[in-house]
Amino acid sequence: MTHTHFMQWAFAEAQAAYALGEVPIGCVVVHAGEVIGRAHNRRTLDGNVLHHAEILAIDQACRALGDWRLENCTAYVTLEPCAMCAGAMLQARLPVLVYGAASPKAGCAGSLCNLLDMPGANHRAQIIPGVMEAACAALLQEFFTRFRT
């Protein structure tokens, strides 16, 4: 399977968030070619700041594996993770992050800072940016134009 294949799963999650009026961000966690966690933003619906797509998908993946370590997994996210989500990935020992659109104002996987590749940290992750970038960015732009202007 290609990175685009799994990013399409994450994009479908982002579309589900959009349909609910949530910021359209989706995430899937893959282990051995299988999606073991998938989610979309639910902050507004659940009234919980922690309910980012990445946090929810990581939680599902940990439950699926019965372990907090996601050492043999890859996360696919439609938008570059924020500090909280990048920190969760770091803590979970996630070795690979693939994301769609960059987040210049809040991205912590290379844009604003890079929590996943900090000297001296106990873990680092490979980062693969720009997979389905145009589609991911367009969905976010459409959402903010429609709901936030």
Side-chain angles (χ1 to χ4, degrees):
M1 304 278 174
T2 66
H3 291 313
T4 301
H5 171 80
F6 290 114
M7 187 60 77
Q8 288 171 341
W9 282 66
F11 190 77
E13 289 293 328
Q15 290 173 312
Y18 184 103
L20 296 169
E22 289 278 353
V23 176
I25 300 170
C27 177
V28 297
V29 178
V30 176
H31 177 264
E34 302 272 333
V35 174
I36 61 168
R38 69 181 194 185
H40 53 269
N41 272 11
R42 294 190 52 91
R43 288 188 312 176
T44 302
L45 285 171
D46 297 344
N48 190 324
V49 70
L50 300 175
H51 287 192
H52 287 208
E54 300 94 323
I55 300 297
L56 297 172
I58 287 169
D59 182 55
Q60 284 183 12
C62 289
R63 283 188 277 124
L65 293 178
D67 195 352
W68 61 269
R69 293 175 189 90
L70 300 178
E71 293 172 324
N72 297 308
C73 297
T74 299
Y76 293 84
V77 189
T78 56
L79 182 67
E80 180 184 359
C82 70
M84 176 178 70
C85 295
M89 291 174 183
L90 187 70
Q91 291 297 314
R93 310 297 193 265
L94 198 87
V96 182
L97 163 66
V98 179
Y99 72 82
S103 179
K105 294 182 181 179
C108 291
S111 289
L112 185 62
C113 66
N114 191 344
L115 294 179
L116 297 172
D117 191 22
M118 292 184 63
N122 63 338
H123 176 72
R124 291 182 178 181
Q126 176 187 7
I127 300 167
I128 301 168
V131 176
M132 289 182 55
E133 180 177 14
C136 294
L139 186 64
L140 284 158
Q141 184 176 21
E142 180 182 323
F143 173 84
F144 285 112
T145 299
R146 180 175 176 196
F147 291 108
R148 303 280 173 97
T149 56

